[in-house]
Amino acid sequence: MDDYLAGFTELFSRYDVVGAFWVNIQLTFWAGLIALAVGTLLALMRISPVASLRLTGTSYVTIFRNTPLTIIITFMVLVVWTQLTVTLAPDFNANFFWLAVVGLAVYHAAFVCEAIRSGVNTVPVGQAEAARAIGLPFLAAARLVILPQAFRGSVAPLGNTLIALLKNSTVAAAGSVATETASTMKVMIEFSPNHLYAIFFIFAMGYVILVIPIGLATTWLSDRLAVKR
Amino acid sequence: MDHEATTDEPQPDSVTDAPASATATATRELGEPLVELSGVNKHFGALHVLRDIDLTVRKGEVLVVIGPSGSGKSTLCRAINRLETIDDGTITIDGQPMPAEGKGLARLRADVGMVFQSFNLFAHKTVLDNVTLGPRKVRGLSKKAAEDQARTLLDRVGVGNQAHKMPAQLSGGQQQRVAIARALAMNPKVMLFDEPTSALDPEMVNEVLDVMVALAREGMTMIVVTHEMGFARKAADRVVFMADGLLVEQAHPEEFFTAPKSDRARDFLSKILTH
Ligand SMILES: Nc1ncnc2c1ncn2[C@@H]1O[C@H](COP(=O)(O)OP(=O)(O)OP(=O)(O)O)[C@@H](O)[C@H]1O
Ligand SMILES: [Mg+2]
């Protein structure tokens, strides 16, 4: 037992485990923010009266939802950066970080879009008709009547998307973000192989500890914000 | 609709009032044509829902549309503020053709009030905010001006004391009266009502009809889809009978209900009356 505790202490002092989780939290935060904005825009396009916008939105979702995330992240580094020389930050590591953020964001935006659309489906058609009938143009009706109710109805699926995003942020390892959890874990296994079980335990538990509150919070919010009909 | 016809009979006031209001409506001055439909056709797939509809509603006129289920009454109503597109023909409001889409359409829609069978109040907004939303965002009224107007209107339809409640906390009759206030807040030129009382419990029907009768007496131009004969007799200038997408018959309410000319109308009336 003491051996185990000593093992944990050694791992935590030799490697920046907490820092690694912090990197994933930051990846999740920025990617989540961008994905929320892009996903909302996509959802708007998909419910808009303009056929070409609807088609664009649908195509985006179909393409990005069905492409493996690893491919998108690798694409960001090998094509967007190496070939197209798009640089998102002057600092080498910061550049990889932001490339990973964008890759995570474009992928999860497709899921955010679908989550919001499921929320839109909780809003009766009559609400949109009533909004149009008082003379609100599409965007105003969407902003003032449809989306506020749709967001309330999509808290649970949005929470699930956030949880997926947090766990998927480890794929940033494929995009050369060396300080995040999956990369750190690989390094630790390589240099402290005698603590193999402890290492897996630490990272698995770390994510469980981060994810549980998100699940609880979204369930609570979802009930609280539900629109009474 | 069966019980609507029967609840109509035990209302003594609607019957005794009828002759008086009939003379009132007969002497009412009708103005210029306000809503004009000409040659309007509409299909849902193979179904021909509106067939060559020609209809003119004048300023201050109250038109009741009646007809069997599926005859196209709702579609007619919805086509007038373009919640439903039409295949051909023209619809003009106050001389202006209904634009296909965009800002012009939104502006014209603001002039056409609509009251739905299922109320459709904005579920996430208070009663007061439901009524002020359009005036603020479409008409550009200040918050204060919109709220003052909203309170006056809510008082007028008898729900002034419910202003801060959410729609779900109100009874159906109260919700429908708020919906009428919401439409009135836009100062519409014409009000459309699509079976405004048929989703209501019988005891709430009259509170809504009373508001509508008052509105009609104040000179509002109204197109009302309803089977409430009491309302038609009391407030309507004209009844049009629709069947299978056609305007089959039009007449003064008394004339229509006592001596319908077409077989379809006679058949329909006998069905809603013999229960
Ligand atoms: N969106 C739609 N798509 C396909 N068919 C429709 C649609 N809306 C209405 N219809 C059909 O068009 C016909 C006319 O419908 P409408 O709702 O105008 O009738 P209505 O006279 O209002 O009937 P009710 O008294 O039942 O309300 C019906 O046969 C209906 O099934
Ligand atoms: Mg109908």
Side-chain angles (χ1 to χ4, degrees), chain B residues 202-222:
Chain B
E203 74 270 20
M204 293 172 188
V205 168
N206 280 331
E207 65 192 49
V208 172
L209 289 180
D210 287 345
V211 169
M212 291 168 60
V213 170
L215 207 55
R217 298 237 159 102
E218 285 159 28
M220 175 60 79
T221 312
M222 295 162 68

Side-chain angles (χ1 to χ4, degrees), chain B residues 99-117:
Chain B
E101 50 203 299
K103 283 245 152 56
L105 175 61
R107 207 172 307 126
L108 219 59
R109 269 192 188 135
D111 288 339
V112 179
M114 175 112 189
V115 175
F116 302 85
Q117 181 174 351

Side-chain angles (χ1 to χ4, degrees), chain B residues 44 47 49 68-75 195:
Chain B
F44 281 120
L47 196 66
V49 210
S69 179
S71 56
K73 307 177 301 291
S74 296
T75 311
E195 304 208 27

Side-chain angles (χ1 to χ4, degrees), chain A residues 124-137:
Chain A
V125 203
Q127 301 269 306
E129 293 187 339
R132 283 150 73 200
I134 57 170
L136 290 174

